[in-house]
Amino acid sequence: MASIFKLSTPSPAASLSEALRPRDSRFLSFNPSSNAINYKINLSASLRSIHSLPLKTSLRIKCSKTDGNGSPAKRTVLHDLYEKEGQSPWYDNLCRPVTDLLPLIASGVRGVTSNPAIFQKAISSSNAYNDQFRELVQAGKDIESAYWELVVKDIQDACKLFEPIYDQTDGGDGYVSVEVSPRLADDTEGTIEAAKWLHKVVDRPNVYIKIPATEACVPSIKEVIANGISVNVTLIFSLARYEAVIDAYLDGLEASGLNDLSRVTSVASFFVSRVDTLIDKALEKIGTPEALNLRGKAAVAQAALAYQLYQRKFSGPRWEALVKKGAKKQRLLWASTSVSTMPDQALQAFIDHGTVSRTIDSNASEAEGIYNALQKLGIDWSFVGSQLELEGVDSFKKSFDSLLDSLQEKANSLKLVSH
C-alpha cells in the first residue's frame, strides 16, 4: 500500500501537496540544508509554516567539532512510518563524528545520503578531519586523493552503523550513499570507472554509489548495475529522464548475467521542491488567475505521475522475469534541494507532530490535470528538467571545487606549521 506522512496541522494546500511515498517503492530523507521537512520530498506548499509551530521534543542533530555520542531517542513517529506504511526515512547529511548518527538511527532513520555540498560543509567547517588530513598531506597525497580518503572513511564508518538495519532487512534498507565526482557529469566512461573504484575502496555491502541522471551518465548507470554495483541515481527532475533511469536499471540487471540479482539494488532520487521554485516564477510572470492558482502544485503533481510510471514499469512480463532471479524494484526516493538554516527543527517538527497517511495516489486525475494545465499555460516540462539538472550539477561542481580550494589552503598552512 502506498502512504505518505504529513504534519497534523491542516495545510491550505491541496491534498496532493502532502503526498509522499508508497510502501515498498520509496524512501524519504531529511536534508539539513532544506526547507522545512525535506523528507526527500519537500512539499513546500504544505510545509512552509512548520518553523513557527511549537515543538515539544528536543532531538538535536549537529556535526560535532569534538568526539561525542548522543543519547538514544525514544520511539518516534518515524518508526510508525516504516512499520505501518513501509516508508524509509533517510537523513541527507554526514559529518564527523559519525556516531552523531546514533540518536537518529534510534529515532527511526534508516539510511544516509551524501553529496559534494554536504562534504564541503562538513570538512571546511570542522576540525574533526584535521588529523587525518595532516597525515595524508605529510604522506605526500595530492589534495583530491586526500579528499577521497576523508570521504571514504566517513562512508565506511556510517555503513558500519547502518549495517544492522541492512542485515535485518536482507539488503532492503540501511544504505549509505556516496557520489562520484561532479566533474564527471558529462563523462560516461569516467563515471563508470569512478563508480567501480568507489565501490571497491569503500568495500561495504550497504553502500550506494550515487550517479547523476545526466544524459551522459544514463548509460553509465546501466553499465555499473551490470557490474553488480548498487546505485543511487540522483538529480532526476523530469518524467522522461526518470523513465530512462528505470530502463537503465532494467537493462543493467538483464546484462549482468547474474543468476541471483537480490544484492544489486537501486534507488531513483526524484527531485521535487526545485520544480516549484522554477515553475512558480514562470507562473507569476504569466500573472493570470489560473496561473497564480497553480503555484506550489507543479512539483507534487509531477511526483504523483512519477509514482504512476514506477507502477507501470515495475510490472508485466519483463519485470516478472527479473523477479524470478531475485531482482528488487528500484525504489523511488523523493529528493529536494531547497535551502533552510534550521535542519534540527525540521526533523523535530515531524517527530513532534507528524502523522502518517496515504495520498500519493489518492487523486491521480488531479495530478494529470495540473500537469496538463501547466503545459497549456506554456510551461515546458522538458526545459524545466534540463534547467534544473544543469543547476544541480553546477552547484555540486562549485561545492567540490570550493572544498578542494579550502583543502589546498589548509594543506599549505599545515606545511608551514610542520617546518
Side-chain angles (χ1 to χ4, degrees), residues 28-34 38 40 60-64 89-102 104-105 109-123 125-126 129 154-155 157-159 161-162 175-178 210 232 333 336 342-344 347:
L28 52 102
S29 173
F30 297 101
N31 183 342
S33 63
S34 73
N38 173 28
K40 276 251 176 231
R60 298 292 296 174
I61 307 108
K62 63 180 180 179
C63 292
S64 303
W90 281 16
Y91 186 55
D92 199 11
N93 192 32
L94 186 58
C95 55
R96 293 185 184 179
V98 297
T99 49
D100 281 354
L101 291 170
L102 289 173
L104 285 173
I105 294 172
V109 168
R110 302 182 64 80
V112 160
T113 66
S114 66
N115 59 47
I118 284 171
F119 279 116
Q120 192 271 338
K121 180 179 179 182
I123 296 173
S125 64
S126 170
Y129 296 85
D154 280 6
I155 296 298
D157 291 346
C159 282
L161 295 181
F162 282 93
Y175 288 92
V176 178
S177 297
V178 58
K210 285 181 80 172
N232 176 344
L333 188 154
S336 179
M342 300 199 297
D344 295 352
L347 183 53

Short mmCIF file of all heavy atoms in Angstrom, two decimals, residues 28-34 38 40 60-64 89-102 104-105 109-123 125-126 129 154-155 157-159 161-162 175-178 210 232 333 336 342-344 347:
data_model
loop_
_atom_site.label_atom_id
_atom_site.label_comp_id
_atom_site.label_asym_id
_atom_site.label_seq_id
_atom_site.Cartn_x
_atom_site.Cartn_y
_atom_site.Cartn_z
N LEU A 28 12.39 8.25 2.04
CA LEU A 28 12.33 9.68 2.24
C LEU A 28 13.54 10.08 3.03
O LEU A 28 14.14 9.28 3.71
CB LEU A 28 11.06 10.09 2.97
CG LEU A 28 10.75 9.36 4.27
CD1 LEU A 28 11.12 10.27 5.42
CD2 LEU A 28 9.31 8.96 4.31
N SER A 29 13.95 11.32 2.89
CA SER A 29 15.19 11.73 3.53
C SER A 29 15.10 13.12 4.10
O SER A 29 14.51 13.99 3.49
CB SER A 29 16.32 11.68 2.51
OG SER A 29 17.49 12.21 3.05
N PHE A 30 15.68 13.32 5.26
CA PHE A 30 15.74 14.63 5.89
C PHE A 30 17.02 15.32 5.46
O PHE A 30 18.09 14.76 5.59
CB PHE A 30 15.72 14.50 7.41
CG PHE A 30 14.46 13.89 7.91
CD1 PHE A 30 14.43 12.56 8.28
CD2 PHE A 30 13.30 14.63 7.98
CE1 PHE A 30 13.25 11.98 8.72
CE2 PHE A 30 12.13 14.05 8.43
CZ PHE A 30 12.11 12.73 8.80
N ASN A 31 16.91 16.52 4.94
CA ASN A 31 18.06 17.25 4.45
C ASN A 31 18.27 18.49 5.30
O ASN A 31 17.44 19.37 5.29
CB ASN A 31 17.80 17.65 3.00
CG ASN A 31 18.98 18.35 2.39
OD1 ASN A 31 19.86 18.82 3.10
ND2 ASN A 31 19.01 18.42 1.07
N PRO A 32 19.39 18.58 6.02
CA PRO A 32 19.60 19.72 6.89
C PRO A 32 19.79 21.02 6.12
O PRO A 32 19.79 22.08 6.71
CB PRO A 32 20.86 19.35 7.66
CG PRO A 32 21.57 18.42 6.77
CD PRO A 32 20.51 17.65 6.05
N SER A 33 19.96 20.95 4.81
CA SER A 33 20.08 22.18 4.04
C SER A 33 18.79 22.47 3.30
O SER A 33 18.76 23.17 2.32
CB SER A 33 21.24 22.06 3.04
OG SER A 33 20.96 21.03 2.12
N SER A 34 17.69 21.89 3.78
CA SER A 34 16.46 22.04 3.04
C SER A 34 15.43 22.84 3.80
O SER A 34 15.55 23.10 4.98
CB SER A 34 15.87 20.66 2.75
OG SER A 34 15.36 20.13 3.94
N ASN A 38 12.44 18.23 4.78
CA ASN A 38 12.83 17.73 3.48
C ASN A 38 13.04 16.25 3.62
O ASN A 38 14.13 15.76 3.70
CB ASN A 38 14.10 18.41 3.03
CG ASN A 38 14.59 17.75 1.77
OD1 ASN A 38 13.80 17.22 1.04
ND2 ASN A 38 15.87 17.77 1.55
N LYS A 40 13.17 13.86 1.84
CA LYS A 40 13.38 13.59 0.43
C LYS A 40 12.07 13.71 -0.28
O LYS A 40 11.71 12.96 -1.13
CB LYS A 40 14.02 12.25 0.22
CG LYS A 40 15.50 12.40 0.38
CD LYS A 40 16.22 12.28 -0.88
CE LYS A 40 17.66 12.53 -0.70
NZ LYS A 40 18.40 13.36 -1.40
N ARG A 60 18.41 16.91 19.04
CA ARG A 60 19.33 17.81 18.36
C ARG A 60 20.22 17.03 17.40
O ARG A 60 20.76 16.00 17.74
CB ARG A 60 20.22 18.52 19.37
CG ARG A 60 19.46 19.39 20.35
CD ARG A 60 18.85 20.59 19.68
NE ARG A 60 19.90 21.47 19.16
CZ ARG A 60 19.63 22.53 18.42
NH1 ARG A 60 18.39 22.82 18.10
NH2 ARG A 60 20.61 23.30 17.99
N ILE A 61 20.36 17.56 16.19
CA ILE A 61 21.23 16.95 15.22
C ILE A 61 22.26 17.98 14.82
O ILE A 61 21.92 19.05 14.36
CB ILE A 61 20.47 16.50 13.95
CG1 ILE A 61 19.29 15.62 14.34
CG2 ILE A 61 21.37 15.79 12.98
CD1 ILE A 61 17.99 16.27 14.17
N LYS A 62 23.52 17.68 14.99
CA LYS A 62 24.55 18.63 14.59
C LYS A 62 25.84 17.88 14.32
O LYS A 62 26.03 16.74 14.74
CB LYS A 62 24.77 19.68 15.67
CG LYS A 62 25.28 19.11 17.00
CD LYS A 62 25.47 20.22 18.01
CE LYS A 62 25.99 19.64 19.34
NZ LYS A 62 26.20 20.70 20.34
N CYS A 63 26.74 18.56 13.61
CA CYS A 63 28.06 17.99 13.38
C CYS A 63 28.97 18.47 14.48
O CYS A 63 29.27 19.66 14.57
CB CYS A 63 28.60 18.43 12.02
SG CYS A 63 27.66 17.74 10.65
N SER A 64 29.39 17.59 15.34
CA SER A 64 30.20 17.97 16.48
C SER A 64 31.62 18.31 16.03
O SER A 64 32.13 17.73 15.09
CB SER A 64 30.25 16.83 17.50
OG SER A 64 28.96 16.47 17.90
N PRO A 89 12.79 6.52 6.23
CA PRO A 89 13.35 7.87 6.34
C PRO A 89 14.87 7.84 6.23
O PRO A 89 15.53 7.11 6.95
CB PRO A 89 12.94 8.32 7.76
CG PRO A 89 11.98 7.28 8.25
CD PRO A 89 12.28 6.03 7.51
N TRP A 90 15.39 8.64 5.31
CA TRP A 90 16.84 8.77 5.16
C TRP A 90 17.25 10.18 5.55
O TRP A 90 16.52 11.14 5.30
CB TRP A 90 17.24 8.51 3.71
CG TRP A 90 17.30 7.06 3.35
CD1 TRP A 90 16.77 6.02 4.03
CD2 TRP A 90 17.90 6.51 2.18
NE1 TRP A 90 17.01 4.84 3.38
CE2 TRP A 90 17.70 5.12 2.23
CE3 TRP A 90 18.58 7.05 1.10
CZ2 TRP A 90 18.17 4.26 1.23
CZ3 TRP A 90 19.05 6.21 0.11
CH2 TRP A 90 18.85 4.83 0.17
N TYR A 91 18.43 10.28 6.11
CA TYR A 91 18.96 11.57 6.55
C TYR A 91 20.00 12.05 5.53
O TYR A 91 20.93 11.33 5.20
CB TYR A 91 19.61 11.42 7.92
CG TYR A 91 20.07 12.71 8.56
CD1 TYR A 91 19.19 13.77 8.74
CD2 TYR A 91 21.39 12.85 9.00
CE1 TYR A 91 19.62 14.94 9.33
CE2 TYR A 91 21.81 14.01 9.61
CZ TYR A 91 20.93 15.06 9.77
OH TYR A 91 21.35 16.22 10.37
N ASP A 92 19.82 13.26 5.03
CA ASP A 92 20.66 13.77 3.95
C ASP A 92 21.79 14.63 4.52
O ASP A 92 21.87 15.83 4.28
CB ASP A 92 19.79 14.59 2.99
CG ASP A 92 20.45 14.78 1.63
OD1 ASP A 92 21.45 14.11 1.36
OD2 ASP A 92 19.95 15.60 0.84
N ASN A 93 22.68 13.98 5.27
CA ASN A 93 23.79 14.68 5.88
C ASN A 93 24.78 13.68 6.43
O ASN A 93 24.40 12.57 6.82
CB ASN A 93 23.31 15.59 7.01
CG ASN A 93 24.37 16.55 7.48
OD1 ASN A 93 25.21 16.99 6.70
ND2 ASN A 93 24.35 16.88 8.75
N LEU A 94 26.05 14.06 6.48
CA LEU A 94 27.07 13.20 7.05
C LEU A 94 28.26 14.04 7.46
O LEU A 94 28.73 14.88 6.69
CB LEU A 94 27.52 12.13 6.04
CG LEU A 94 28.48 11.05 6.53
CD1 LEU A 94 27.89 10.29 7.71
CD2 LEU A 94 28.83 10.10 5.40
N CYS A 95 28.74 13.83 8.68
CA CYS A 95 29.89 14.58 9.18
C CYS A 95 30.50 13.80 10.35
O CYS A 95 29.94 12.81 10.79
CB CYS A 95 29.47 15.98 9.62
SG CYS A 95 28.13 15.98 10.83
N ARG A 96 31.64 14.27 10.82
CA ARG A 96 32.29 13.60 11.93
C ARG A 96 31.93 14.27 13.25
O ARG A 96 31.75 15.48 13.29
CB ARG A 96 33.82 13.62 11.74
CG ARG A 96 34.25 12.78 10.56
CD ARG A 96 35.77 12.70 10.45
NE ARG A 96 36.12 11.96 9.24
CZ ARG A 96 37.36 11.73 8.84
NH1 ARG A 96 38.38 12.18 9.56
NH2 ARG A 96 37.59 11.05 7.74
N PRO A 97 31.86 13.48 14.32
CA PRO A 97 31.96 12.02 14.35
C PRO A 97 30.67 11.38 13.84
O PRO A 97 29.57 11.86 14.14
CB PRO A 97 32.17 11.70 15.83
CG PRO A 97 31.47 12.81 16.54
CD PRO A 97 31.68 14.03 15.70
N VAL A 98 30.79 10.32 13.07
CA VAL A 98 29.60 9.68 12.52
C VAL A 98 28.73 9.09 13.62
O VAL A 98 27.55 8.79 13.38
CB VAL A 98 29.96 8.60 11.48
CG1 VAL A 98 30.66 9.20 10.29
CG2 VAL A 98 30.80 7.50 12.10
N THR A 99 29.28 8.92 14.82
CA THR A 99 28.45 8.43 15.93
C THR A 99 27.32 9.40 16.28
O THR A 99 26.38 9.02 16.98
CB THR A 99 29.32 8.18 17.17
OG1 THR A 99 30.14 9.33 17.42
CG2 THR A 99 30.20 6.96 16.99
N ASP A 100 27.40 10.64 15.76
CA ASP A 100 26.28 11.56 15.93
C ASP A 100 25.02 11.04 15.24
O ASP A 100 23.91 11.52 15.48
CB ASP A 100 26.63 12.94 15.37
CG ASP A 100 27.49 13.75 16.32
OD1 ASP A 100 27.72 13.29 17.45
OD2 ASP A 100 27.95 14.84 15.92
N LEU A 101 25.19 10.04 14.37
CA LEU A 101 24.04 9.44 13.69
C LEU A 101 23.27 8.47 14.60
O LEU A 101 22.12 8.14 14.31
CB LEU A 101 24.50 8.67 12.44
CG LEU A 101 25.04 9.51 11.28
CD1 LEU A 101 25.68 8.60 10.24
CD2 LEU A 101 23.93 10.33 10.65
N LEU A 102 23.89 8.03 15.68
CA LEU A 102 23.26 7.00 16.52
C LEU A 102 21.90 7.42 17.07
O LEU A 102 20.94 6.64 17.03
CB LEU A 102 24.21 6.60 17.65
CG LEU A 102 25.42 5.76 17.20
CD1 LEU A 102 26.39 5.55 18.36
CD2 LEU A 102 24.97 4.42 16.62
N LEU A 104 19.86 9.45 15.75
CA LEU A 104 18.96 9.48 14.60
C LEU A 104 18.50 8.08 14.24
O LEU A 104 17.32 7.84 13.94
CB LEU A 104 19.66 10.12 13.40
CG LEU A 104 19.83 11.64 13.44
CD1 LEU A 104 20.70 12.09 12.28
CD2 LEU A 104 18.49 12.32 13.39
N ILE A 105 19.44 7.14 14.25
CA ILE A 105 19.08 5.74 13.97
C ILE A 105 18.08 5.25 15.01
O ILE A 105 17.10 4.59 14.70
CB ILE A 105 20.34 4.87 13.94
CG1 ILE A 105 21.23 5.26 12.76
CG2 ILE A 105 19.97 3.38 13.86
CD1 ILE A 105 22.60 4.59 12.74
N VAL A 109 15.56 6.75 11.75
CA VAL A 109 16.20 7.00 10.47
C VAL A 109 16.84 5.70 9.98
O VAL A 109 17.49 4.99 10.75
CB VAL A 109 17.26 8.12 10.59
CG1 VAL A 109 18.14 8.19 9.34
CG2 VAL A 109 16.57 9.46 10.83
N ARG A 110 16.69 5.39 8.68
CA ARG A 110 17.08 4.08 8.18
C ARG A 110 18.13 4.12 7.07
O ARG A 110 18.42 3.12 6.43
CB ARG A 110 15.83 3.33 7.69
CG ARG A 110 14.79 3.16 8.78
CD ARG A 110 13.59 2.36 8.31
NE ARG A 110 13.95 1.00 7.95
CZ ARG A 110 14.13 0.02 8.83
NH1 ARG A 110 14.00 0.26 10.13
NH2 ARG A 110 14.46 -1.18 8.43
N GLY A 111 18.71 5.29 6.82
CA GLY A 111 19.74 5.40 5.80
C GLY A 111 20.28 6.81 5.75
O GLY A 111 19.74 7.72 6.38
N VAL A 112 21.37 6.98 5.01
CA VAL A 112 22.02 8.28 4.90
C VAL A 112 22.44 8.52 3.45
O VAL A 112 22.88 7.60 2.76
CB VAL A 112 23.27 8.35 5.81
CG1 VAL A 112 24.23 9.44 5.38
CG2 VAL A 112 22.86 8.58 7.26
N THR A 113 22.28 9.75 3.01
CA THR A 113 22.81 10.14 1.71
C THR A 113 23.82 11.27 1.92
O THR A 113 23.79 11.97 2.92
CB THR A 113 21.71 10.62 0.74
OG1 THR A 113 21.13 11.83 1.25
CG2 THR A 113 20.64 9.56 0.58
N SER A 114 24.71 11.42 0.95
CA SER A 114 25.69 12.50 1.00
C SER A 114 25.88 13.03 -0.42
O SER A 114 25.45 12.41 -1.40
CB SER A 114 27.02 12.00 1.55
OG SER A 114 27.62 11.07 0.66
N ASN A 115 26.50 14.18 -0.51
CA ASN A 115 26.83 14.76 -1.82
C ASN A 115 28.00 15.72 -1.63
O ASN A 115 28.42 15.98 -0.49
CB ASN A 115 25.61 15.45 -2.44
CG ASN A 115 25.05 16.56 -1.57
OD1 ASN A 115 25.80 17.40 -1.07
ND2 ASN A 115 23.74 16.59 -1.39
N PRO A 116 28.56 16.25 -2.71
CA PRO A 116 29.72 17.14 -2.57
C PRO A 116 29.45 18.36 -1.69
O PRO A 116 30.33 18.80 -0.95
CB PRO A 116 30.00 17.56 -4.02
CG PRO A 116 29.53 16.39 -4.82
CD PRO A 116 28.30 15.92 -4.12
N ALA A 117 28.23 18.90 -1.75
CA ALA A 117 27.91 20.08 -0.92
C ALA A 117 27.93 19.72 0.56
O ALA A 117 28.39 20.51 1.39
CB ALA A 117 26.53 20.62 -1.32
N ILE A 118 27.45 18.54 0.91
CA ILE A 118 27.45 18.10 2.30
C ILE A 118 28.88 17.95 2.82
O ILE A 118 29.21 18.40 3.91
CB ILE A 118 26.67 16.78 2.43
CG1 ILE A 118 25.16 17.05 2.35
CG2 ILE A 118 27.01 16.06 3.74
CD1 ILE A 118 24.31 15.81 2.27
N PHE A 119 29.74 17.33 2.02
CA PHE A 119 31.13 17.16 2.47
C PHE A 119 31.88 18.48 2.47
O PHE A 119 32.78 18.69 3.29
CB PHE A 119 31.85 16.12 1.60
CG PHE A 119 31.55 14.71 2.00
CD1 PHE A 119 30.88 13.85 1.14
CD2 PHE A 119 31.90 14.25 3.26
CE1 PHE A 119 30.59 12.54 1.52
CE2 PHE A 119 31.62 12.94 3.64
CZ PHE A 119 30.96 12.09 2.78
N GLN A 120 31.52 19.38 1.56
CA GLN A 120 32.15 20.70 1.56
C GLN A 120 31.90 21.41 2.88
O GLN A 120 32.81 21.97 3.50
CB GLN A 120 31.59 21.53 0.39
CG GLN A 120 32.38 22.80 0.10
CD GLN A 120 31.88 24.00 0.89
OE1 GLN A 120 30.73 24.00 1.33
NE2 GLN A 120 32.74 24.99 1.08
N LYS A 121 30.65 21.33 3.34
CA LYS A 121 30.29 21.96 4.60
C LYS A 121 30.93 21.24 5.79
O LYS A 121 31.48 21.87 6.70
CB LYS A 121 28.77 21.98 4.77
CG LYS A 121 28.30 22.62 6.06
CD LYS A 121 26.79 22.63 6.15
CE LYS A 121 26.32 23.26 7.46
NZ LYS A 121 24.84 23.23 7.59
N ALA A 122 30.88 19.91 5.76
CA ALA A 122 31.41 19.13 6.88
C ALA A 122 32.91 19.32 7.07
O ALA A 122 33.39 19.58 8.18
CB ALA A 122 31.10 17.65 6.67
N ILE A 123 33.65 19.21 5.99
CA ILE A 123 35.11 19.24 6.09
C ILE A 123 35.63 20.66 6.33
O ILE A 123 36.57 20.87 7.10
CB ILE A 123 35.75 18.63 4.82
CG1 ILE A 123 35.39 17.14 4.72
CG2 ILE A 123 37.27 18.79 4.83
CD1 ILE A 123 35.82 16.46 3.44
N SER A 125 34.08 23.18 7.77
CA SER A 125 33.61 23.85 8.98
C SER A 125 33.96 23.11 10.27
O SER A 125 33.56 23.51 11.35
CB SER A 125 32.09 24.02 8.92
OG SER A 125 31.43 22.76 8.91
N SER A 126 34.71 22.01 10.15
CA SER A 126 35.00 21.20 11.34
C SER A 126 36.50 20.91 11.45
O SER A 126 37.21 20.81 10.44
CB SER A 126 34.23 19.88 11.28
OG SER A 126 34.66 19.00 12.28
N TYR A 129 38.48 16.64 10.89
CA TYR A 129 39.19 16.00 9.78
C TYR A 129 40.68 16.33 9.78
O TYR A 129 41.43 15.79 8.96
CB TYR A 129 38.57 16.43 8.45
CG TYR A 129 37.14 15.98 8.27
CD1 TYR A 129 36.08 16.73 8.78
CD2 TYR A 129 36.84 14.80 7.59
CE1 TYR A 129 34.78 16.32 8.63
CE2 TYR A 129 35.53 14.37 7.43
CZ TYR A 129 34.50 15.14 7.96
OH TYR A 129 33.20 14.73 7.82
N ASP A 154 34.48 8.29 6.18
CA ASP A 154 33.15 8.64 6.70
C ASP A 154 32.10 7.66 6.20
O ASP A 154 31.23 7.21 6.96
CB ASP A 154 32.76 10.06 6.28
CG ASP A 154 33.41 11.12 7.16
OD1 ASP A 154 34.25 10.76 8.00
OD2 ASP A 154 33.07 12.30 7.00
N ILE A 155 32.17 7.33 4.93
CA ILE A 155 31.18 6.41 4.34
C ILE A 155 31.31 5.02 4.96
O ILE A 155 30.31 4.38 5.32
CB ILE A 155 31.36 6.34 2.81
CG1 ILE A 155 31.07 7.70 2.17
CG2 ILE A 155 30.43 5.27 2.21
CD1 ILE A 155 29.67 8.21 2.37
N ASP A 157 32.52 4.25 7.93
CA ASP A 157 32.08 4.30 9.32
C ASP A 157 30.56 4.36 9.41
O ASP A 157 29.95 3.73 10.29
CB ASP A 157 32.70 5.50 10.02
CG ASP A 157 34.21 5.34 10.23
OD1 ASP A 157 34.71 4.21 10.06
OD2 ASP A 157 34.86 6.35 10.55
N ALA A 158 29.93 5.13 8.51
CA ALA A 158 28.47 5.23 8.52
C ALA A 158 27.85 3.90 8.10
O ALA A 158 26.83 3.48 8.66
CB ALA A 158 28.02 6.36 7.59
N CYS A 159 28.44 3.24 7.12
CA CYS A 159 27.93 1.94 6.68
C CYS A 159 27.91 0.94 7.84
O CYS A 159 26.97 0.14 7.98
CB CYS A 159 28.78 1.38 5.54
SG CYS A 159 28.45 2.09 3.92
N LEU A 161 27.50 1.61 10.97
CA LEU A 161 26.39 1.93 11.87
C LEU A 161 25.05 1.44 11.34
O LEU A 161 24.18 1.03 12.11
CB LEU A 161 26.32 3.45 12.11
CG LEU A 161 27.49 4.10 12.84
CD1 LEU A 161 27.24 5.58 13.01
CD2 LEU A 161 27.74 3.43 14.19
N PHE A 162 24.90 1.47 10.01
CA PHE A 162 23.62 1.07 9.41
C PHE A 162 23.59 -0.40 9.00
O PHE A 162 22.55 -0.88 8.53
CB PHE A 162 23.31 1.95 8.20
CG PHE A 162 22.79 3.31 8.57
CD1 PHE A 162 23.64 4.39 8.70
CD2 PHE A 162 21.43 3.51 8.80
CE1 PHE A 162 23.17 5.64 9.06
CE2 PHE A 162 20.95 4.75 9.15
CZ PHE A 162 21.81 5.82 9.28
N TYR A 175 21.16 1.76 3.82
CA TYR A 175 22.21 2.15 2.88
C TYR A 175 22.80 3.52 3.20
O TYR A 175 22.15 4.39 3.76
CB TYR A 175 21.67 2.17 1.45
CG TYR A 175 21.41 0.79 0.89
CD1 TYR A 175 20.15 0.19 1.01
CD2 TYR A 175 22.42 0.08 0.25
CE1 TYR A 175 19.91 -1.08 0.50
CE2 TYR A 175 22.19 -1.19 -0.27
CZ TYR A 175 20.94 -1.77 -0.14
OH TYR A 175 20.71 -3.01 -0.64
N VAL A 176 24.06 3.69 2.77
CA VAL A 176 24.75 4.98 2.84
C VAL A 176 25.23 5.30 1.44
O VAL A 176 25.86 4.46 0.79
CB VAL A 176 25.95 4.93 3.81
CG1 VAL A 176 26.68 6.27 3.84
CG2 VAL A 176 25.48 4.54 5.21
N SER A 177 24.93 6.50 0.96
CA SER A 177 25.26 6.87 -0.43
C SER A 177 26.46 7.80 -0.51
O SER A 177 26.59 8.73 0.28
CB SER A 177 24.06 7.56 -1.08
OG SER A 177 22.95 6.70 -1.16
N VAL A 178 27.31 7.55 -1.50
CA VAL A 178 28.45 8.43 -1.78
C VAL A 178 28.48 8.70 -3.28
O VAL A 178 28.32 7.80 -4.10
CB VAL A 178 29.78 7.79 -1.31
CG1 VAL A 178 30.02 6.44 -1.97
CG2 VAL A 178 30.93 8.75 -1.56
N LYS A 210 26.39 7.01 -5.87
CA LYS A 210 25.48 7.98 -6.47
C LYS A 210 26.00 8.43 -7.84
O LYS A 210 27.15 8.85 -7.97
CB LYS A 210 25.31 9.21 -5.57
CG LYS A 210 24.44 8.96 -4.36
CD LYS A 210 24.28 10.21 -3.52
CE LYS A 210 23.26 11.16 -4.07
NZ LYS A 210 22.97 12.28 -3.13
N ASN A 232 22.55 4.71 -6.42
CA ASN A 232 21.56 5.74 -6.11
C ASN A 232 21.64 6.74 -7.25
O ASN A 232 22.63 7.46 -7.39
CB ASN A 232 21.89 6.41 -4.77
CG ASN A 232 20.97 7.57 -4.42
OD1 ASN A 232 20.25 8.11 -5.27
ND2 ASN A 232 21.00 8.00 -3.17
N LEU A 333 13.02 7.62 -4.41
CA LEU A 333 13.47 8.39 -3.27
C LEU A 333 13.19 9.85 -3.58
O LEU A 333 13.78 10.43 -4.49
CB LEU A 333 14.97 8.14 -3.04
CG LEU A 333 15.60 8.72 -1.78
CD1 LEU A 333 16.83 7.91 -1.39
CD2 LEU A 333 15.99 10.17 -1.96
N SER A 336 15.06 16.71 -2.61
CA SER A 336 14.81 18.14 -2.68
C SER A 336 16.12 18.90 -2.53
O SER A 336 17.06 18.44 -1.92
CB SER A 336 13.84 18.55 -1.59
OG SER A 336 13.61 19.93 -1.63
N MET A 342 17.53 25.75 9.44
CA MET A 342 17.02 25.09 10.64
C MET A 342 16.77 23.61 10.43
O MET A 342 15.64 23.15 10.53
CB MET A 342 15.74 25.79 11.11
CG MET A 342 15.94 27.25 11.44
SD MET A 342 14.64 27.94 12.48
CE MET A 342 13.22 27.76 11.41
N PRO A 343 17.80 22.84 10.13
CA PRO A 343 17.58 21.40 9.91
C PRO A 343 17.12 20.66 11.15
O PRO A 343 16.30 19.76 11.06
CB PRO A 343 18.96 20.91 9.46
CG PRO A 343 19.91 21.90 10.05
CD PRO A 343 19.19 23.21 9.97
N ASP A 344 17.65 21.03 12.31
CA ASP A 344 17.26 20.34 13.53
C ASP A 344 15.76 20.48 13.77
O ASP A 344 15.05 19.52 14.06
CB ASP A 344 18.02 20.91 14.73
CG ASP A 344 19.52 20.65 14.63
OD1 ASP A 344 19.92 19.93 13.71
OD2 ASP A 344 20.24 21.19 15.47
N LEU A 347 13.48 18.23 11.49
CA LEU A 347 13.31 16.84 11.92
C LEU A 347 12.48 16.77 13.20
O LEU A 347 11.60 15.91 13.33
CB LEU A 347 14.68 16.19 12.13
CG LEU A 347 14.67 14.71 12.50
CD1 LEU A 347 13.86 13.91 11.50
CD2 LEU A 347 16.09 14.18 12.56
#
